[in-house]
Amino acid sequence: MERSYSAEIELLKRGDGEVFEGEGILAITKALLQSGVGYVSGYQGAPVSHLMDVLSTAKPFLDELGVHYEPAANEAGSAAMLAASINYPIRGAAIWKSVVGTNVASDALSNLASAGVVGGALIIVGEDYGEGASIIQERTHAFAMKSSMWLMDPRPDHTRFVDLIEKSFEFSEATSTPVIMEFRIRACHMHGRFETRDNKSPRYSAKAPLENPDFDYNRICLPPSTYVQEQDKVTRRFPEALKFIRDNALNDHFDGRYDDVGIICQGGLHNTVMRALAQLGLADGFGGTDIPILALNVTYPLLPDEISGFCAGKRSVLVVEEGFPAYIEDAVNTILRKADLNTTVIGKGVLPEAGEYVADVMLKGLGAYLEGAVPRGVDLETVGRIVHRVTSNADRARSLIGGAVPSRPPTFCTGCPERPVFTAMELTQRQIGKFHVSADIGCHSFSTLPPFNIGNSILGYGLGLASANGVRPALGKRVVSVMGDGGFWHNGLTSGVSGAVQNGTDGVLVVLNNGYSSATGQQTIPSSKVGPDRKALMTIEDAVKSFGVSWVRTINSYKVGDMVSALKEAVTSKAGGLKVIVADGECQLARQRRVKVADGAALKRGERVVRTRFGVDETVCTGDHACIRLSGCPSLTVKESADPLRTDPVAHVNNDCVGCGLCGEVADAAALCPSFYRADIIRNPGRWDRFMARLRNRVIGSLQGFTARRAEV
């Protein structure tokens, strides 16, 4: 995993009256344990990857409580585990990234929502929408509405969202309905405090097993039960949900003195709203506000009498809702028209229709709303001046740099084993011509950005091979599909390889086997090499062969020349059928974490440790920088030449180098200038090392002296 939470796990053990102080994902975990959750499953993905890491680290403690934790192979598997709550009073939680994870889980979720639950079922999703998102820009709201699941968007306050997590299980049980609770990235990683309660062991678990399994055909998602289930959603569950929201005051009201206007916001956006109001002089730093606010911790369903009660007597309200369509704004308009209230509803008119409402966007939107609504008592001149000051600072910054800020696209980490594969792909295309590349979700999707710009489409996690099937017949060359080992096990083997074998697909699949689900923080997968002997439970090669693939090659990712040869053979071979290249190279981040610990221990024991570095001989470097264009390594950069007769900068390897050797491999495979050298830094050297060092120094000194004497002559 990306980081260890072993020290923080002690926070999860705190009981009644103690104080928790820490990160949001730890607070979420503590809330689950205080709620008496019986089982938890999930699939990693930002911004909830670290929540999975916390649960994995805490597994021994979970076992003590009788809580079953099991990471799933994908989000559908995680959602399917919630079936335990359909028949039995066992509370369960599922975790994944949304909206893509919700897409994968949607089949199981639809059936779960139809059957209903006896035990509370909570789905915690990382709502990955906005500036920091790594996925398509969609929201979870539509999924909740279509399947009649309740959607909670808790206010980012540790005390409040811990209480709401506990309430959400009650909410689920009272209405026989799964509850989705979404957390944005800032809520997951913000720090806060709350007063803890004792953890609760689940009612039923391995320590307290159920005696008799239950069977109720009314909970099976087949006709005629499905007809009854649909009616139950409308006639019982939905009214019970409205009653529960009302009776338990799940939404938060904040009074303000300028009560002829108001703000209705998603709970998750409350802090951003408060920050903007504080900048405008309309709120303080302790939660006080001059503008009344209704923070919707439950964004579906909305409580009509709560909305109309808040809006009654107000000339206008601002609905702060990220994303498009404006589900909440439209619902508020409908509620007010049915209640015969003439309150003007403003939303997307002053705020962007799409995109994240970051601080400056919120400030400008609130300023525009206040200037249009003209609340009694608000100094609009001051509001306008503050908004202008913020926007003018941004304009001034742009003018100082001469326009837009230059884009800095993300790229592979230093030493990443996936970079050389795309270097090899670039060299292969130079030799045999361009070919279509179906890309996939994962670190390797950075290949679509400079300097490679390789990858014509991305359709989903593990769908790189399946997404090539439509375009393949229309092209003159074989299509090359790329997926990572995480995507391979998530979906690629069943959706891609099985279909290709069944249909006799004549294509090429490159699987980047770096040993982990790396983009989400190095979580283990079935082919991860774990344990002291570093052996995998199963291999990608065995998996594809078991499906009937006969053309399989395993190539060291860093051997660019070998990879070029394998790609050329796969694309041009007369052999039909699917051809699979497994690019084998451990994720460099995970490797460095492992190797540094091992090297540190070896140094303490006085053992010999070798660290490899690469460099550039600037007297040989030609300065054309083809090595940089073909490699893209962050540690390979440029510097001014020490030669006063040369004006062009020379290539340079900085101290970030991890010694992967790609720069030298590229220079060799692409027949570039031989300017790269390798240096081994030896700590705790032995006698032989010292002898060879003295010998090399003497030989080099002799050659240098010989060269100097020749120059004098």
Side-chain angles (χ1 to χ4, degrees), residues 478 506-508 551 565-573 575 579-581:
R478 289 185 177 119
D506 186 16
V508 180
W551 197 105
S565 298
L567 283 167
K568 285 171 62 178
E569 181 185 355
V571 174
T572 61
S573 171
K579 286 156 277 292
V580 177
I581 299 173

Side-chain angles (χ1 to χ4, degrees), residues 234-431:
V234 177
T235 60
R236 182 183 68 84
R237 299 185 203 174
F238 196 87
E240 285 292 334
L242 298 181
K243 182 177 184 299
F244 191 92
I245 296 167
R246 182 186 303 110
D247 292 348
N248 291 273
L250 295 186
N251 296 319
D252 294 329
H253 292 253
F254 300 90
D255 294 330
R257 54 180 174 152
Y258 303 130
D259 58 2
D260 59 330
V261 296
I263 298 172
I264 300 174
C265 68
Q266 293 166 294
L269 296 181
H270 176 261
N271 288 5
T272 313
V273 170
M274 289 296 293
R275 172 58 180 158
L277 288 174
Q279 285 183 288
L280 296 172
L282 297 172
D284 58 36
F286 302 96
T289 173
D290 291 338
I291 306 293
I293 297 174
L294 171 57
L296 297 173
N297 296 314
V298 183
T299 52
Y300 180 80
L302 297 182
L303 190 57
D305 55 341
E306 183 176 43
I307 297 293
S308 58
F310 178 79
C311 295
K314 292 180 171 55
R315 292 185 293 107
S316 73
V317 293
L318 173 66
V319 177
V320 181
E321 172 190 12
E322 278 183 337
F324 180 85
Y327 297 112
I328 298 173
E329 182 182 343
D330 291 346
V332 169
N333 266 306
T334 300
I335 290 169
L336 296 186
R337 299 300 81 82
K338 287 183 176 180
D340 199 24
L341 290 174
N342 294 321
T343 305
T344 301
V345 178
I346 306 295
K348 299 300 184 184
V350 296
L351 288 162
E353 289 194 273
E356 184 180 0
Y357 291 170
V358 293
D360 63 327
V361 171
M362 187 72 76
L363 180 68
K364 286 186 279 189
L366 281 176
Y369 167 69
L370 293 172
E371 289 177 355
V374 194
R376 290 188 296 270
V378 174
D379 184 353
L380 296 180
E381 184 178 345
T382 300
V383 169
R385 187 169 59 251
I386 293 170
V387 172
H388 175 72
R389 185 179 69 234
V390 172
T391 56
S392 63
N393 284 341
D395 293 339
R396 182 170 178 270
R398 277 190 290 269
S399 67
L400 289 173
I401 62 172
V405 177
S407 62
R408 297 183 63 188
T411 187
F412 298 102
C413 301
T414 301
C416 174
E418 297 179 353
R419 178 182 287 106
V421 176
F422 294 104
T423 297
M425 208 170 286
E426 174 72 20
L427 293 173
T428 303
Q429 291 189 103
R430 290 185 180 187
Q431 295 178 29

Side-chain angles (χ1 to χ4, degrees), residues 62 149 211 270 273 456 518 541 576 603 701 711:
L62 300 182
M149 294 182 287
E211 293 299 327
H270 176 261
V273 170
N456 299 77
S518 291
E541 292 88 343
L603 287 171

Side-chain angles (χ1 to χ4, degrees), residues 50-366:
H50 284 180
L51 181 52
M52 297 293 294
D53 293 343
V54 168
L55 290 162
S56 295
T57 307
K59 192 174 187 311
F61 178 54
L62 300 182
D63 292 340
E64 288 178 24
L65 289 172
V67 179
H68 176 64
Y69 168 68
E70 182 176 313
N74 56 35
E75 296 86 354
S78 177
M81 276 188 67
L82 294 173
S85 298
I86 293 176
N87 297 92
Y88 306 108
I90 307 173
R91 290 181 169 182
I95 301 162
W96 57 71
K97 170 197 194 87
S98 199
V99 69
V100 287
T102 308
N103 290 339
V104 176
S106 59
D107 191 10
L109 288 180
S110 293
N111 284 275
L112 179 72
S114 183
V117 295
V118 175
L122 176 62
I123 301 143
I124 295 176
V125 300
E127 188 75 347
D128 199 21
Y129 182 89
E131 285 189 342
S134 59
I135 58 166
I136 51 176
Q137 295 293 278
E138 292 182 1
R139 296 159 57 202
T140 309
H141 202 104
F143 280 90
M145 292 175 64
K146 83 170 184 65
S147 296
S148 295
M149 294 182 287
W150 319 140
L151 180 63
M152 301 186 72
D153 187 358
R155 188 162 52 86
D157 173 87
H158 278 33
T159 298
R160 188 56 172 144
F161 72 63
V162 166
D163 288 341
L164 287 170
I165 287 173
E166 296 183 38
K167 278 293 179 186
S168 66
F169 283 105
E170 298 176 25
F171 192 15
S172 175
E173 290 161 351
T175 59
S176 308
T177 303
V179 174
I180 303 174
M181 183 173 285
E182 57 186 24
F183 286 92
R184 294 168 176 78
I185 190 167
R186 291 174 179 83
C188 288
H189 297 296
M190 75 174 189
H191 284 242
R193 65 174 63 190
F194 65 94
E195 188 175 306
T196 61
R197 289 185 280 271
D198 287 340
N199 296 321
K200 297 178 183 177
S201 292
R203 180 178 174 186
Y204 297 107
S205 67
K207 293 189 172 185
L210 279 157
E211 293 299 327
N212 297 305
D214 173 68
F215 177 80
D216 182 357
Y217 187 79
N218 290 326
R219 297 191 178 279
I220 302 297
C221 293
L222 288 173
S225 297
T226 48
Y227 310 140
V228 177
Q229 291 163 8
E230 180 68 8
Q231 290 297 322
D232 190 50
K233 285 182 181 180
V234 177
T235 60
R236 182 183 68 84
R237 299 185 203 174
F238 196 87
E240 285 292 334
L242 298 181
K243 182 177 184 299
F244 191 92
I245 296 167
R246 182 186 303 110
D247 292 348
N248 291 273
L250 295 186
N251 296 319
D252 294 329
H253 292 253
F254 300 90
D255 294 330
R257 54 180 174 152
Y258 303 130
D259 58 2
D260 59 330
V261 296
I263 298 172
I264 300 174
C265 68
Q266 293 166 294
L269 296 181
H270 176 261
N271 288 5
T272 313
V273 170
M274 289 296 293
R275 172 58 180 158
L277 288 174
Q279 285 183 288
L280 296 172
L282 297 172
D284 58 36
F286 302 96
T289 173
D290 291 338
I291 306 293
I293 297 174
L294 171 57
L296 297 173
N297 296 314
V298 183
T299 52
Y300 180 80
L302 297 182
L303 190 57
D305 55 341
E306 183 176 43
I307 297 293
S308 58
F310 178 79
C311 295
K314 292 180 171 55
R315 292 185 293 107
S316 73
V317 293
L318 173 66
V319 177
V320 181
E321 172 190 12
E322 278 183 337
F324 180 85
Y327 297 112
I328 298 173
E329 182 182 343
D330 291 346
V332 169
N333 266 306
T334 300
I335 290 169
L336 296 186
R337 299 300 81 82
K338 287 183 176 180
D340 199 24
L341 290 174
N342 294 321
T343 305
T344 301
V345 178
I346 306 295
K348 299 300 184 184
V350 296
L351 288 162
E353 289 194 273
E356 184 180 0
Y357 291 170
V358 293
D360 63 327
V361 171
M362 187 72 76
L363 180 68
K364 286 186 279 189
L366 281 176

